[in-house]
Each structure stands twice: as C-alpha cells, then as structure tokens.
Amino acid sequence: MSFADATQFWNERFDKEEFIFGKEPNEYLVEKANQYLKTGDKVLCIADGEGRNGVWLAKQGMQVVGFDASDIALAKAKQFAKDNQVEVEYSFSDTDSFIWHANTYDAVIGIFIQFADPAMRKRIFQKTYETLKPGSLFILQGYTPKQLEYKTGGPSLIEHLYTEELIRDLAQDFNILELHSYEKALSEGPRHTGMSAILGLVAQKPI
C-alpha cells in the first residue's frame, strides 16, 4: 500500500468525532513504561493515530516524537495533546517516509501496528534497531492468529498477525527481555473491544 493509499484508508476510518481506539493509553504500554521508562526519556511512537499513547507518555514527562499516515488522525492527536497541555512532536509520515535518526531514542513504541505486511514489518524492526540508543527498548504489542476467532479488532489477514516464533526471529539482533502471548479483554474504543488474543514484546538493543 502506497503512502497515499494508506492515508486515504486511515483517513476514512479516523474521520469521525469519536476516538476510534479510545483516549486511554494501551494497558500493556502503561505497564511496561512504568516498569522500564523514566521521565525525560526520548520516545518514538510508530503510527500513533489519534495520540492516546503519545499524549500519555508526554504526560509522564517524556519527550515524545510520533508519526502517522493519517493527517486526520494527527489533527486529532495534536488537539488531544493541546487539551492535555503537553507537547508531542508529530509528523505526517508512514513508516517508510519517516526519518529514523540513528541512536536517538530511549524507547520505540509499536502498539497494534499491524497494517504492516511481512516486508514492511521487517523494515520496521531494522529501522527501530538503528534508531534506538544502545541499551534502549522496543515495546511492541499486537494480535496473534487466534484473534481471527475473536474478531474484536485488528487485521483479518493472517500474515499481518504475530506469533512468538515470528517476533523472536525479527528481534534476533535484540536481547529479548519479555515475549509472551496471552488472552485478555480489551476496552480501547469501538475498534478494540472484547476478548482478544495478544502478544507483548520488550526487546533491548544490546549495549
């Protein structure tokens, strides 16, 4: 999918008043940020959509950079940041047009970035590795193939879903601190509600 196609697809989804994934941050992100991140950390949010995660991180005193391929979502995210009296540096990009500066971030966050097909997913892992400072973290959450039974959110294409084996292979340059699949009821706006089959990863770029 080209950048223009991605923009059109996501703009159609985000072009409504409600926040389609809610305004509360992702639970896994909150848990792992509290465990591993600290005030002042420079954090990159991949495809941050309407800003629920980036704004929450900024409220914890982190320097947050984010991007998304939907300018409609970004307009909502910027307003959301303003309403919460925080600053997030947002840019209108997809994962391939974004400039991933080397050795820059203390953490990279990927929450349900399952628009990525296998080739793009591989590029995201490579770029994330490059852009992290040594010793810094990649925090990722996504759906597993069992999610196709629950149908409570996420892509319908199995090749966009995560297995532990797949993620372990993609993260082979990292030190994996946590990797587990589990099932849990999510309540993240109308698009992610109900029992869900998910996977969480915390991976560290070696020092």
Side-chain angles (χ1 to χ4, degrees):
M1 191 186 279
S2 72
F3 184 14
D5 290 342
T7 299
Q8 188 184 350
F9 175 83
W10 287 104
N11 274 350
E12 284 169 10
R13 288 197 161 189
F14 284 121
D15 194 10
K16 43 180 69 77
E17 212 162 298
E18 66 177 351
F19 275 52
I20 65 172
F21 299 113
K23 291 186 173 182
E24 294 302 315
N26 172 263
E27 281 179 22
Y28 184 76
L29 172 62
V30 171
E31 187 187 318
K32 298 305 150 195
N34 287 334
Q35 195 174 341
Y36 292 107
L37 306 183
K38 60 189 186 303
T39 302
D41 277 353
K42 188 163 188 181
V43 180
L44 171 63
C45 291
I46 300 171
D48 199 38
E50 299 158 315
R52 66 191 179 109
N53 295 317
V55 168
W56 180 81
L57 289 162
K59 285 169 78 175
Q60 312 313 304
M62 296 178 210
Q63 300 173 57
V64 184
V65 175
F67 66 87
D68 202 273
S70 166
D71 49 338
I72 287 175
L74 285 178
K76 291 165 90 171
K78 286 172 184 172
Q79 186 58 49
F80 190 45
K82 205 172 163 183
D83 293 345
N84 281 276
Q85 297 172 320
V86 292
E87 201 132 323
V88 179
E89 189 188 311
Y90 280 123
S91 57
F92 177 39
S93 308
D94 64 3
T95 55
D96 289 322
S97 61
F98 182 72
I99 297 163
W100 303 75
H101 296 290
N103 301 315
T104 297
Y105 297 99
D106 298 298
V108 172
I109 311 298
I111 302 296
F112 297 117
I113 54 169
Q114 288 174 296
F115 51 81
D117 62 20
M120 182 187 271
R121 188 165 59 216
K122 195 171 183 184
R123 293 196 298 276
I124 289 171
F125 268 77
Q126 286 167 342
K127 293 290 190 186
T128 295
Y129 185 85
E130 289 163 16
T131 206
L132 281 169
K133 297 174 188 171
S136 296
L137 301 178
F138 184 23
I139 298 173
L140 178 81
Q141 179 163 66
Y143 291 113
T144 66
K146 191 162 188 207
Q147 180 63 12
L148 295 174
E149 296 170 30
Y150 287 127
K151 298 185 172 68
T152 51
S156 53
L157 298 167
I158 194 152
E159 62 267 28
H160 288 241
L161 298 169
Y162 299 159
T163 63
E164 288 184 31
E165 186 184 19
L166 171 87
I167 295 298
R168 189 172 280 114
D169 186 50
L170 284 165
Q172 57 191 329
D173 292 337
F174 293 84
N175 296 324
I176 293 177
L177 305 183
E178 294 184 24
L179 174 60
H180 65 294
S181 310
Y182 58 102
E183 290 171 39
K184 188 172 192 209
L186 291 183
S187 176
E188 301 188 338
R191 289 275 173 181
H192 284 181
T193 297
M195 188 53 83
S196 308
I198 38 192
L199 171 149
L201 168 78
V202 181
Q204 184 178 42
K205 180 174 178 174
I207 296 167

